[in-house]
């Protein structure tokens, strides 16, 4: 059973950096897609960055070059990190870790419905 736990959110001033992490257990090696989404109250959840089982990564246009996703595996648990730089107030949101375990191991874009497993979220607040 997949279990996701995010950590590392907080408050930062515009222009700063922040790193959030997700401990993902129960994920099948070589058959998964992991990712980060974010959501502002009243708006739909949007994809930020995704990483498939083969090292391919994809970023949303508005974070490309500022955010970097990484994935490590140890003791049957993946650590999915999102390093965020040059943060702006528009990056303020609840950030969610998402996982799909099984299947081809490739991601299919930033469709939240593609991911059956979600963490509880971690808040990122960027002040101007």
């Amino acid at each position: 059973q997949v279990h996701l736990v995010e950590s590392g959110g907080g408050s930062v001033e515009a222009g700063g950096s922040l790193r959030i992490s997700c401990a993902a257990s129960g994920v099948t090696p070589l058959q998964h897609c992991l990712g980060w989404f974010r959501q502002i109250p009243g708006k739909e959840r949007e994809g930020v960055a995704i990483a498939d089982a083969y090292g391919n990564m994809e970023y949303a246009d508005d974070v490309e070059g500022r955010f970097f996703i990484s994935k490590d595996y140890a003791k049957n648990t993946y650590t999915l990190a999102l390093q965020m730089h040059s943060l702006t107030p528009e990056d303020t949101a609840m950030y969610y870790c998402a996982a799909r375990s099984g299947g081809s191991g490739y991601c299919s874009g930033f469709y939240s419905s593609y991911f059956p497993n979600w963490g509880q979220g971690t808040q990122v607040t960027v002040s101007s």
Side-chain angles (χ1 to χ4, degrees):
Q1 185 173 357
V2 177
H3 186 57
L4 307 174
V5 179
E6 299 99 334
S7 61
S11 299
V12 65
E13 292 185 352
S17 299
L18 198 63
R19 184 177 186 270
I20 56 178
S21 296
C22 171
S25 58
V27 175
T28 305
L30 298 181
Q31 288 184 298
H32 61 264
C33 173
L34 303 177
W36 287 99
F37 285 70
R38 65 187 180 186
Q39 189 170 25
I40 301 169
K43 291 195 174 183
E44 290 190 2
R45 195 168 293 187
E46 63 176 14
V48 176
I50 52 178
D52 68 18
Y54 308 105
N56 300 303
M57 300 169 184
E58 187 176 349
Y59 297 92
D61 290 342
D62 59 347
V63 306
E64 181 85 52
R66 300 189 297 123
F67 290 15
F68 301 93
I69 191 171
S70 63
K71 186 177 62 170
D72 294 302
Y73 182 71
K75 297 181 179 179
N76 298 318
T77 298
Y78 282 96
T79 298
L80 186 73
L82 186 68
Q83 179 68 53
M84 303 178 286
H85 298 291
S86 302
L87 286 160
T88 73
E90 288 68 38
D91 295 315
T92 295
M94 184 71 79
Y95 283 71
Y96 295 92
C97 178
R100 180 180 182 91
S101 185
S104 68
Y106 291 101
C107 296
S108 295
F110 294 111
Y111 299 104
S112 59
S113 59
Y114 182 73
F115 296 89
N117 306 109
W118 294 86
Q120 80 287 353
T122 186
Q123 178 68 35
V124 172
T125 302
V126 184
S127 59
S128 57

